[in-house]
Amino acid sequence: MAAASATSSSELPECPVCHDGYKEPKILPCTHLACKKCVVSWLQKAGVKGGCPLCRAPILPSTSRGQRDLDTLVNDLPTDLATMALVDSHKVLSGQHVCMLCDNNSAATSFCLQCDVKICKACIKVHKNIPSTRKHVIEDLDKLSPQQLAQINRATCNVHDDRPAELYCSTHQELICMLCATANHRSCAEVKAIPDVVTEKRRELEQQAQRLRDRATALATEIQEVTDTFKAMRKKANDMFDDLEQCLKKRRQEVNTLIQAEEDAVMTSLAELEKWRAALALNAASVGNVVQSASGGSLLGMMKGLTSRLDDLESQTGTARKMEVKDLTLNVQKLDQLRADIASLGQLTKPATTPTTLQQPTQPSPATPTATSATTPRTAYKYKPRHVALAKVLKVGDRVKPGPDWLSVMGSKDKKGTVTAFPSRLAAQWGWDPQGLVDVQWDGGLEHCCWMGYNGQYQLDLL
């Protein structure tokens, strides 16, 4: 008996549902494979919305569910003929190697690739002597793998599964035998031999696959760009706040050093003042005791010495009171504004979209500012402001309010907004100086494209 195939039975491709060799394997939309019967039974249990047994990706498109029976829907899924050929080849090579040409049950040692049969040594000689089979390719079973056999596996007719497919009908996209070509495909425009069609179809599939690969590469690039954008944005934010933390830490140390220097400078004065305070307190207590306990004569006898000491103490204390001690205060006037700036720091802004029509700001004349209808199309004016200094000091995130020339447009001098972008694309379209344009998101939802100034009068003022 010939040796078994080089590929063992454990390497037989198995269905993930039945864990057996594939039987009419269907290619699911996620590219996983499963037997046709397994897919039907799986969907009967899980419902038509059930997903792939491996990845849970949808099997049937939502548009086709309920329109046809389940068997028909599953049958429309493409069949993996290559895997079918591999399974069949594996079964052929893993079974008993018995000659299929003679009745002696002789051990087969070879395989005829054209006849698709196992043959023994004796039949090989006969096979080579017959004119019709003399040029057939015969391979040793020991050297033939299922993959090699599958590549030369001959397809069968779509209608007659016992007859080899020799032709391909491009009209019906079917593999057919000579009998079908004569009976059912005589009127078809393109019926060609399989080898003549294979090269063209391989090229078409490869071109389509290449387009998919190119699109996948482009999507991967886009995904990476988006990921890198957020990564860079996060790094920029972290660097910004790290820098602020370092600045605050440095400023804290500087302020504490200033306070310490001022404190050291006045500590000597404070020590002298403390001495005089203690002396005054002791002498005041002593005089108080004398006043309470001494008799009248004793008090009068001590009066001159006590008065002289007290006068001397009062004189020196008066000098001490005149010693200059600084009254220090911290400058916190901008603390509230700083808190507000920090609260708005790092806000995410999106570029303003360009609608088909845009409410265009009023174009006041140099002498008398006038307002234009709010529905004026954006192409109604061609204007280039002559004063754009404010555009150079504004930045995204600044809080602004309408200037004098804007009050007629905004309708309220209390209106406030935030600078969101500098739309150079609109400047190019309108013919304006890009430094003179700015997008402002006004509180309340209205977004306007503003110009910066006219004849030296600002249209926007910083808050």
Side-chain angles (χ1 to χ4, degrees), residues 225-382:
E225 288 176 352
V226 172
T227 303
D228 291 344
T229 298
F230 280 102
K231 184 178 179 180
M233 191 183 302
R234 188 175 291 105
K235 182 180 183 303
K236 184 177 180 180
N238 291 333
D239 291 345
M240 175 180 64
F241 286 109
D242 288 343
D243 182 63
L244 287 176
E245 289 179 3
Q246 292 298 323
C247 290
L248 290 174
K249 183 178 179 180
K250 180 181 178 181
R251 186 55 185 164
R252 172 185 285 186
Q253 293 175 347
E254 292 174 351
V255 171
N256 286 330
T257 300
L258 292 174
I259 294 174
Q260 184 65 46
E262 294 293 340
E263 183 180 6
D264 293 342
V266 300
M267 282 306 295
T268 303
S269 299
L270 290 178
E272 292 296 327
L273 289 176
E274 177 60 25
K275 289 180 180 180
W276 283 113
R277 184 203 65 77
L280 291 175
L282 288 173
N283 282 275
S286 176
V287 172
N289 290 333
V290 170
V291 171
Q292 292 180 2
S293 61
S295 63
S298 299
L299 179 63
L300 292 175
M302 300 169 62
M303 190 67 183
K304 182 178 179 180
L306 290 175
T307 301
S308 176
R309 177 181 292 181
L310 293 177
D311 289 342
D312 184 53
L313 286 174
E314 277 193 290
S315 174
Q316 295 183 35
T317 302
T319 303
R321 287 199 187 103
K322 294 177 183 179
M323 295 178 63
E324 183 178 354
V325 179
K326 293 183 179 180
D327 184 16
L328 298 176
T329 58
L330 285 174
N331 181 8
V332 294
Q333 295 178 359
K334 297 183 179 180
L335 186 58
D336 291 338
Q337 180 62 40
L338 182 60
R339 288 196 183 101
D341 291 341
I342 292 176
S344 62
L345 190 62
Q347 289 182 347
L348 300 181
T349 58
K350 295 182 179 179
T353 56
T354 305
T356 54
T357 58
L358 182 65
Q359 293 181 350
Q360 179 154 333
T362 307
Q363 296 192 29
S365 62
T368 306
T370 57
T372 308
S373 172
T375 58
T376 302
R378 66 183 181 189
T379 57
Y381 298 102
K382 295 287 184 180

